[in-house]
């Protein structure tokens, strides 16, 4: 038995006569002296102890090499892009937290996951605490997510949800959402940090005890972080974020934490009127119509482990304003300002008298340093009124000295560019920005029928 020392409580004591009080006073109540009462401590007599408990045979500690993982195989959700993010599928007993902005499509995605799992012969319990069963049924009819093995319950009480789990005995549990479920074991309204902590802890404990994969939906605050206590993200096994621009139909699922797989995978989806659809090869979504207008350049971005071509467009207009406009969309405004300065200082492309507009196609955000060279070439083409041919792509980071630095995963980017038909790739082999501009001009004069890749 481990015993701690007696705990203490705050008190005040006179240094002259030893008189004590439980609150501070200026003068001693016994000897009437001023300034002799100081803060001290007294023992409460309360002892705390922890008693060791012998674990059972099933919980006995074993060598890690003796633990068999054959009992915990991954199970596909039926949605390949979601499986990619999870690391191959659902692990029995895994607790997954899915967050995202309101209206981005979290419930639609999870209803699709539930329907696919039910079609594969597994029982699924979908506990909706935000919508009625009729509302969910209407959405399921629209998206084609109806199946007899998909059970639906509209409950906001945690105990009732656990009762449904006992009755249905599902192979997958989905709770939408944790902020709208309350437990009688905790004080406060639903959504209070103590309620969120209690509900999440109980669901996770149920998932571990029953080897029941559980997906929990979490709300986000206006700055994009997951609402509720931060401990919620520490308790779960996987944290996924569902993001997308409401102006476009493209959606991304990213893994921010994954105990069973990598965290650099990205799943791509397309939100349509008939539900949400997977996009296994989203390359065509970020390209224009293939025109050779001045001011366009294709770069190879990296979303997780996936290389994607992104078309960067630039437009310049001569202005007499003392402060020319710099309008950007999908790229980092600070990096665009730096690229414009390097263009003018190191390559002689004057932009100080130009309004510059830079944007990406398809609503994708391309903020990594690998976009620097494509932005520079697009702006240079717009200023010179020179078009970059379709077979040229560019990747590279620009330094303030005008040098082109190599980027991460360059080999994978080159492979994707070659697969998509880009025969020429302008990158760090051009050494400097002025050299890259000269290489673009030289390769623009190559024969149109020349299909020899120059990577």
């Amino acid at each position: 038995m481990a015993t701690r020392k007696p705990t203490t409580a705050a008190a005040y004591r006179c240094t002259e006569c030893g008189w004590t009080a439980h609150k501070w006073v200026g003068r001693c109540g016994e000897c009437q002296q001023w300034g002799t009462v100081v803060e001290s401590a007294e023992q409460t007599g309360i002892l705390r102890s922890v008693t060791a408990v012998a674990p059972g045979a099933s919980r006995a500690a074993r060598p890690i090499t003796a633990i068999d993982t054959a009992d915990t195989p991954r199970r596909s959700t039926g949605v390949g892009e979601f499986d990619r993010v999870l690391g191959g599928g659902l692990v029995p007993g895994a607790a997954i937290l899915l967050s995202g902005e309101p209206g981005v499509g979290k419930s639609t995605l999870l209803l699709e996951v539930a329907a696919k799992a039910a079609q594969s012969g597994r029982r699924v319990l979908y506990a909706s605490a935000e919508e009625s069963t009729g509302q969910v049924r209407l959405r399921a009819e629209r998206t084609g997510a109806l199946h007899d093995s998909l059970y639906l319950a509209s409950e906001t009480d945690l105990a009732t949800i656990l009762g449904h789990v006992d009755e249905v005995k599902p192979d997958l549990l989905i709770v939408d959402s944790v902020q709208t479920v309350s437990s009688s074991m905790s004080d406060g309204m639903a959504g209070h940090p103590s309620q969120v902590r209690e509900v999440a802890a109980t669901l996770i404990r149920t998932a571990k005890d029953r080897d029941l994969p559980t997906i929990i939906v979490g709300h986000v605050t206006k700055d994009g972080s997951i609402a509720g206590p931060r401990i919620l993200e520490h308790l779960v096994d996987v944290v996924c974020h569902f993001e997308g621009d409401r102006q476009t139909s493209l959606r991304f699922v990213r893994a921010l934490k994954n105990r069973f797989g990598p965290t650099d995978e990205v799943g791509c989806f397309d939100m349509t009127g008939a539900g949400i659809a997977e996009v296994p090869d989203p390359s065509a979504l970020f390209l224009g119509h293939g025109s050779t207008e001045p001011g366009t350049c294709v770069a190879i971005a990296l979303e997780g482990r996936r290389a994607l071509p992104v078309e960067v467009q630039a437009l310049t207009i001569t202005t007499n304003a003392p402060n020319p406009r710099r309008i950007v969309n999908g790229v980092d405004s600070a990096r665009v300002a730096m690229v414009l300065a390097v263009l003018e200082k190191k390559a002689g492309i004057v932009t100080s008298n130009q309004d510059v507009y830079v944007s990406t196609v398809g609503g994708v955000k391309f903020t990594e340093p690998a976009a620097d060279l494509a932005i520079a070439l697009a702006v240079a083409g717009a200023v010179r009124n020179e078009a970059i041919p379709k077979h040229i792509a560019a990747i590279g980071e620009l330094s303030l000295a005008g040098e082109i630095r190599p980027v991460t995963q360059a080999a994978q980017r080159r492979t994707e560019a070659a697969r998509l038909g880009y025969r020429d790739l302008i990158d760090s082999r051009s050494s400097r920005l002025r050299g890259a501009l000269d290489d673009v001009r030289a390769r623009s004069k190559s024969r149109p029928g020349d299909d020899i890749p120059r990577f």
Side-chain angles (χ1 to χ4, degrees):
M1 178 181 294
T3 305
R4 293 183 180 180
K5 293 181 180 180
T7 58
T8 60
Y12 299 88
R13 181 177 60 86
C14 178
T15 57
E16 295 293 333
C17 64
W19 178 80
T20 60
H22 291 290
K23 63 180 181 178
W24 185 87
V25 292
R27 184 173 61 178
C28 175
E30 183 68 27
C31 62
Q32 302 298 314
Q33 295 290 328
W34 287 91
T36 60
V37 178
V38 297
E39 185 177 1
S40 67
E42 62 179 5
Q43 294 186 354
T44 62
I46 301 175
L47 298 178
R48 297 180 180 180
S49 61
V50 177
T51 303
V53 177
S58 60
R59 294 182 175 268
R62 292 178 293 167
I64 191 171
T65 55
I67 297 176
D68 187 13
T69 60
D71 296 335
T72 57
R74 293 183 183 270
R75 298 175 180 175
S76 173
T77 62
V79 181
E81 291 297 299
F82 196 47
D83 287 343
R84 175 197 290 267
V85 178
L86 297 179
L90 295 171
V91 175
I96 302 166
L97 177 64
L98 179 66
S99 65
E101 296 286 341
V104 74
K106 301 184 297 296
S107 300
T108 304
L109 173 63
L110 292 183
L111 192 59
E112 180 72 14
V113 170
K116 294 291 186 182
Q119 291 171 8
S120 64
R122 285 176 284 169
R123 283 192 173 190
V124 181
L125 174 60
Y126 190 105
S128 175
E130 297 183 351
E131 298 177 278
S132 66
T133 54
Q135 291 173 324
V136 179
R137 167 64 191 259
L138 288 175
R139 188 170 70 251
E141 289 179 349
R142 177 174 57 86
T143 60
L146 298 176
H147 198 277
D148 291 338
S149 295
L150 173 55
Y151 292 79
L152 182 62
S154 178
E155 298 291 348
T156 58
D157 181 63
L158 177 62
T160 308
I161 293 177
L162 297 180
H164 286 298
V165 172
D166 290 335
E167 291 181 0
V168 177
K169 294 180 174 55
D171 300 309
L172 173 63
L173 172 64
I174 299 175
V175 179
D176 185 6
S177 67
V178 67
Q179 276 85 6
T180 52
V181 178
S182 60
S183 172
S184 59
M185 301 299 294
S186 179
D187 296 331
M189 299 176 60
H192 192 272
S194 60
Q195 282 282 358
V196 173
R197 185 184 299 109
E198 176 65 26
V199 171
T202 302
L203 291 174
I204 293 170
R205 185 166 59 250
T206 302
K208 303 300 180 186
D209 292 343
R210 299 170 180 254
D211 283 339
L212 174 63
T214 302
I215 303 177
I216 304 171
V217 176
H219 293 170
V220 296
T221 59
K222 58 184 178 181
D223 63 350
S225 59
I226 300 176
R230 191 71 177 180
I231 194 175
L232 182 62
E233 299 177 56
H234 293 284
L235 289 174
V236 298
D237 301 310
V238 182
V239 179
C240 295
H241 186 66
F242 198 31
E243 62 185 33
D245 190 351
R246 290 189 178 184
Q247 307 302 322
T248 63
S249 61
L250 187 65
R251 301 290 186 267
F252 288 110
V253 177
R254 305 176 188 273
L256 306 181
K257 169 188 175 182
N258 194 349
R259 291 174 177 167
F260 313 118
T263 57
D264 55 358
E265 286 286 4
V266 178
C268 296
F269 298 89
D270 186 25
M271 185 67 70
T272 64
I276 192 165
E278 299 179 64
V279 185
D281 188 9
S283 300
L285 297 176
F286 310 126
L287 297 176
H289 298 291
S291 63
T292 55
E293 289 292 327
T296 63
C297 183
V298 174
I300 307 299
L302 204 64
E303 289 286 350
R305 295 184 179 181
R306 176 178 286 170
L308 302 173
V310 177
E311 184 174 312
V312 179
Q313 297 181 340
L315 176 65
T316 60
I317 302 176
T318 304
T319 179
N320 295 323
N323 296 314
R325 304 183 69 181
R326 304 289 187 258
I327 307 298
V328 302
N329 180 35
V331 293
D332 188 1
S333 59
R335 298 203 71 88
V336 170
M338 185 198 74
V339 168
L340 296 180
V342 174
L343 265 175
E344 184 158 342
K345 183 70 175 179
K346 301 298 180 180
I349 306 296
V350 179
T351 58
S352 56
N353 61 347
Q354 303 277 333
D355 288 336
V356 180
Y357 303 84
V358 180
S359 177
T360 56
V361 174
V364 66
K365 295 182 179 179
F366 192 13
T367 57
E368 59 174 319
D372 291 352
L373 185 56
I375 294 173
L377 296 181
V379 173
V383 173
R384 292 176 171 179
N385 197 30
E386 296 178 357
I388 298 177
K390 300 178 183 179
H391 61 82
I392 294 180
I395 56 170
E397 177 185 358
L398 287 182
S399 70
L400 294 179
E403 299 173 339
I404 302 177
R405 296 176 178 174
V407 297
T408 59
Q409 303 292 334
Q412 184 177 354
R413 297 176 198 255
R414 292 191 187 101
T415 302
E416 180 67 12
R419 185 183 72 84
L420 294 172
Y422 295 100
R423 305 195 311 271
D424 289 323
L425 187 67
I426 309 298
D427 56 9
S428 59
R429 291 170 295 183
S430 297
S431 182
R432 305 186 67 84
L433 178 57
R434 190 180 292 273
L437 294 172
D438 294 338
D439 288 343
V440 170
R441 279 186 167 180
R443 296 180 183 183
S444 298
K445 298 177 182 179
S446 62
R447 291 176 299 171
D450 186 4
D451 294 330
I452 301 176
R454 283 179 285 273
F455 289 94

